[in-house]
């Protein structure tokens, strides 16, 4: 098992390094083209973009999220999302990377659920200060569905697109271990007749391999129970 994980990690590193030199279109999350550059560095944590021409890269706000379409020889473009973590006229760096192609493939993993959760805004500066700056009181919400890429949430706490939230104590199985997720709100819909909100959330940063394995195991267990109920109904 450990050898398999090491091989997978080496394959991931080699795959990302193979993207160095590739042409990359940078777009807003609404798919408006911002600039075109080339990747000068790529690993599973960060990408570095430099100008593809003599023109400088445009100014950008730190932490802005962008879509990246990376053109590879003889392969379909690779689509990713990332946030600006450093920038200047000759270099942009992206972190909090999400492979959108992989997310598309994993849609079949989405599982309906009615798991209760505690929801509160994520404020890293308060977390660092500890007891001197207590976090706000968490509100109760319900996780409506979940996949290894994110979840759909219902609660009465208002958030906006782009907000980072903490979804805690999600117990997918009665006897299972609870999950805590750090998420980014991708869309928000208000339901006035019930005075509550629906949110589509992306795990940010993405889950690591161990977290993915544990979540996949819980999702598959829920799927098995659901199939068993349908067969006996």
């Amino acid at each position: 098992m450990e050898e398999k994980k090491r091989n997978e990690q080496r394959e991931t590193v080699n795959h990302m390094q193979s993207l160095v030199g590739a042409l990359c279109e940078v777009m807003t999350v609404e798919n408006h083209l911002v600039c075109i550059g080339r990747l000068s560095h790529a690993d599973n944590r960060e990408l570095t973009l430099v100008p593809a021409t003599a023109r400088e890269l445009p100014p950008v706000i730190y932490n802005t999220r962008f879509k990246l379409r990376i053109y590879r020889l003889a392969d379909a473009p690779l689509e990713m999302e990332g946030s600006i973590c450093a920038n200047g006229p000759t270099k942009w760096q992206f972190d909090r990377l999400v492979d959108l192609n992989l997310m598309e493939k994993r849609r079949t993993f989405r599982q309906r659920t009615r798991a209760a959760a505690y929801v509160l805004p994520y404020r890293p500066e308060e977390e660092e200060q500890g007891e001197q700056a207590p976090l706000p009181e968490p509100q109760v919400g319900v996780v409506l569905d979940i996949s290894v890429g994110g979840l759909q949430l219902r609660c009465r706490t208002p958030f906006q697109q782009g907000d980072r939230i903490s979804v805690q104590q999600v117990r997918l199985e009665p006897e299972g271990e609870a999950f805590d997720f750090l998420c980014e709100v991708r869309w928000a819909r208000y339901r006035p007749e019930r005075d509550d909100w629906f949110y589509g959330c992306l795990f940010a940063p993405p889950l690591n391999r161990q977290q993915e394995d544990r979540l996949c195991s819980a999702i598959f267990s829920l799927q098995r129970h659901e199939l068993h109920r349908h067969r006996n109904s």
Side-chain angles (χ1 to χ4, degrees):
M1 182 64 69
E2 291 300 321
E3 182 63 27
K4 180 180 179 181
K5 288 184 178 180
R6 284 195 292 269
N7 289 336
E8 289 177 347
Q9 289 171 351
R10 282 195 291 269
E11 289 177 3
T12 300
V13 170
N14 292 338
H15 166 68
M16 295 302 294
Q17 290 178 344
S18 71
L19 301 178
V20 172
L23 197 68
C24 177
E25 293 178 346
V26 181
M27 298 169 289
T28 66
V29 293
E30 294 82 19
N31 294 316
H32 299 304
L33 183 65
V34 176
C35 66
I36 299 176
R38 288 194 181 276
L39 295 181
S40 64
H41 171 80
D43 59 37
N44 61 343
R45 293 184 177 275
E46 288 188 356
L47 296 177
T48 301
L49 186 82
V50 297
T53 66
R55 297 182 62 180
E56 295 183 338
L57 297 172
V60 64
I61 298 173
Y62 174 78
N63 216 32
T64 303
R65 196 140 183 93
F66 288 105
K67 287 185 178 180
L68 309 171
R69 182 175 292 128
I70 303 166
Y71 290 90
R72 304 171 292 176
L73 292 175
D75 285 318
L78 174 65
E79 294 197 351
M80 305 187 75
E81 276 195 10
S83 297
I84 291 289
C85 60
N87 67 91
T90 60
K91 182 173 69 174
W92 284 9
Q93 285 181 270
F94 300 88
D95 64 2
R96 292 163 51 195
L97 302 173
V98 176
D99 186 335
L100 298 181
N101 303 76
L102 184 60
M103 292 290 294
E104 183 69 23
K105 293 175 184 176
R106 289 178 171 175
R107 284 185 178 176
T108 54
F109 287 152
R110 187 169 295 278
Q111 175 64 37
R112 290 177 297 177
T113 180
R114 300 279 298 182
Y118 291 108
V119 184
L120 67 164
Y122 176 65
R123 296 176 180 170
E125 69 279 3
E126 292 184 348
E127 187 177 85
E128 290 173 2
Q129 294 174 20
E131 297 180 357
Q132 296 179 359
L135 291 171
E137 188 70 23
Q139 302 297 312
V140 176
V142 177
V143 176
L144 301 175
D145 62 49
I146 192 166
S147 73
V148 294
L151 54 83
Q152 185 179 172
L153 176 72
R154 186 184 74 207
C155 69
R156 291 194 168 182
T157 308
F159 297 107
Q160 296 181 347
Q161 182 180 354
D163 283 352
R164 300 188 81 189
I165 63 176
S166 181
V167 183
Q168 301 177 352
Q169 293 297 303
V170 181
R171 200 173 297 277
L172 299 177
E173 300 175 281
E175 304 301 323
E177 185 180 351
F179 291 86
D180 293 335
F181 300 111
L182 179 59
C183 303
E184 179 178 307
V185 175
R186 303 307 307 278
W187 56 261
R189 293 175 189 152
Y190 179 59
R191 187 169 60 169
E193 67 274 15
R194 297 264 183 112
D195 190 28
D196 60 5
W197 291 82
F198 286 85
Y199 299 109
C201 301
L202 187 72
F203 296 142
L207 303 182
N208 60 37
R209 176 70 63 179
Q210 182 179 3
Q211 292 169 326
E212 279 190 356
D213 289 347
R214 191 163 77 88
L215 181 55
C216 280
S217 177
I219 289 174
F220 290 149
S221 179
L222 289 175
Q223 289 177 340
R224 285 195 299 270
H225 290 317
E226 190 171 286
L227 287 172
H228 183 72
R229 285 195 302 270
H230 287 322
R231 287 169 184 165
N232 293 333
S233 61

